[in-house]
Amino acid sequence: MLSYRQIEVFHAIMSAGSVSGAAGRLGLSQPSVSKTLQTMEYDLGYLLFDRIRGRLQPTEEARALLQEVERAREAFHDVQSFARRLRHGEDSKLRVTATPALGLQVLPEAVSRFRQKQPRSLFDITTHHSGDILDTISRKSFSFDIGFTFGAEGAEAPVGSLEIGSVSLAVVAQRGVLDNYPAEIALADLESLPVISLHENEPLGRFLAEKSRELGFGLDTQIRVQTYGIACALAERGNGIAIVDAMTAVSHASNNPAVALRRFDSALSLPVTAIYPLARGLPVNTRRFVEGFAEVLEERHELFLERTSQNPDMDI
């Protein structure tokens, strides 16, 4: 059984690259660090470092173990933080993660409104791509209490999910590219255009690939990206058209006069899902935040529909 001291020493050696560096970080003597490492290797039954010309070279086992050690350290620090807050009577911290698009367009307003009602609320906010969020929460050790993604396909038990709304899709292109296309565009209209596509491990990339296959054609994908904002920036510069969520499209076009947009038909939309560790469920405070997030999401989407109806050409 590993002790937390061994875990800390191992992490320090991996970070510093040497026993002396680890000793300096931990405020321990070099012999103490060396002995702890030797004991750890004995307990594990395999070497963590090869000794080559007086230097430590991590083994493959050490590199694999490091990922779990980092999660364990993060979980331990969360426990320490929670224990301190209990001592001082502070409200619990809500660890929230979201895709970059939702994190930029919805999350800040949702957090601001929540803290207006509960000023003592603490937040730890991160952004990750949908695939990474689903991968993290499917493990036994995870680093957030609630996550917001476009869809939850690919999540494994024990993951809870709650669909809280949906967003329309839009096409982003360099001004002039879409002049001969209708105000509301269909996926089949894009068959002859070069497309900047999302990777299929992202819900939107997977959704578009499936839809195009259903229609019997393939999109002419010339560039693949993982971030909606990058797709828009590439489209703005004439590298193809980008298909993104409506909120990202409007936000990008509002600040870039060289961009033109088109709305997709209503059949093409992405569900927005709140996901959470099933074992924890949704505590009252977390559920309230989810409800507030859903309200902001709906407002942002209604704003998109309103602006596009006032601007049929979608040139905002």
Side-chain angles (χ1 to χ4, degrees):
M1 179 72 69
L2 295 181
S3 68
Y4 190 73
R5 176 186 175 89
Q6 289 174 329
I7 288 174
E8 284 289 82
V9 165
F10 169 71
H11 186 268
I13 294 174
M14 290 293 287
S15 300
S18 66
V19 169
S20 59
R25 290 189 178 201
L26 297 173
L28 301 173
S29 67
Q30 291 188 39
S32 175
V33 171
S34 294
K35 184 175 181 179
T36 300
L37 175 60
Q38 291 170 3
T39 302
M40 184 178 181
E41 290 179 322
Y42 178 82
D43 291 342
L44 290 172
Y46 52 81
L47 291 177
L48 295 171
F49 298 92
D50 292 318
R51 282 71 174 174
I52 302 175
R53 297 178 183 175
R55 299 180 64 86
L56 295 181
Q57 182 67 36
T59 63
E60 288 301 315
E61 290 81 3
R63 298 182 191 281
L65 184 62
L66 180 62
Q67 298 179 20
E68 298 303 321
V69 163
E70 288 177 338
R71 278 197 287 271
R73 293 180 74 250
E74 185 175 344
F76 183 75
H77 292 156
D78 284 343
V79 171
Q80 288 181 313
S81 178
F82 182 71
R84 285 195 298 270
R85 292 197 301 275
L86 286 178
R87 177 183 178 183
H88 297 290
E90 297 177 359
D91 294 334
S92 60
K93 177 173 68 176
L94 187 59
R95 300 175 303 168
V96 182
T97 192
T99 64
L102 293 171
L104 181 62
Q105 304 298 332
V106 181
L107 189 56
E109 181 63 21
V111 170
S112 298
R113 293 184 187 182
F114 191 84
R115 297 194 74 246
Q116 286 175 2
K117 297 177 181 178
Q118 300 187 37
R120 291 168 61 85
S121 298
L122 305 176
F123 281 86
D124 186 338
I125 298 171
T126 58
T127 57
H128 298 283
H129 298 295
S130 294
D132 295 332
I133 293 175
L134 296 175
D135 179 60
T136 299
I137 204 171
S138 297
R139 300 176 184 174
K140 292 181 180 179
S141 176
F142 40 81
S143 58
F144 58 88
D145 303 307
I146 191 73
F148 298 97
T149 70
F150 291 117
E153 297 85 354
E156 301 174 0
V159 175
S161 64
L162 182 66
E163 190 170 316
I164 60 173
S166 63
V167 294
S168 300
L169 300 181
V171 179
V172 179
Q174 191 176 57
R175 185 175 291 275
V177 171
L178 301 174
D179 285 353
N180 296 324
Y181 289 81
E184 186 173 274
I185 205 166
L187 191 59
D189 295 331
L190 307 179
E191 186 174 5
S192 62
L193 290 174
V195 175
I196 302 162
S197 177
L198 277 294
H199 287 289
E200 288 194 32
N201 64 339
E202 290 297 310
L204 178 54
R206 184 166 55 249
F207 176 77
L208 292 174
E210 291 172 355
K211 284 294 182 182
S212 60
R213 282 194 290 267
E214 288 175 11
L215 294 172
F217 70 91
L219 294 173
D220 182 15
T221 301
Q222 299 192 355
I223 301 176
R224 289 188 185 276
V225 299
Q226 198 173 24
T227 303
Y228 295 15
I230 293 178
C232 291
L234 287 166
E236 176 190 344
R237 290 162 175 79
N239 292 285
I241 62 163
I243 304 172
V244 297
D245 70 280
M247 294 179 299
T248 297
V250 170
S251 175
H252 189 85
S254 297
N255 301 314
N256 295 277
V259 166
L261 309 181
R262 289 291 186 275
R263 188 202 303 189
F264 268 109
D265 60 60
S266 57
L268 290 181
S269 63
L270 275 179
V272 177
T273 306
I275 59 175
Y276 56 92
L278 199 57
R280 292 186 180 184
L282 281 175
V284 174
N285 232 28
T286 305
R287 187 174 292 275
R288 287 174 181 162
F289 181 73
V290 171
E291 291 170 352
F293 188 97
E295 289 177 3
V296 177
L297 174 69
E298 183 178 6
E299 290 174 10
R300 291 290 189 270
H301 191 241
E302 288 178 352
L303 178 62
F304 162 74
L305 297 177
E306 178 184 340
R307 296 183 69 176
T308 56
S309 64
Q310 293 173 354
N311 299 271
D313 292 333
M314 302 283 289
D315 294 338
I316 300 174

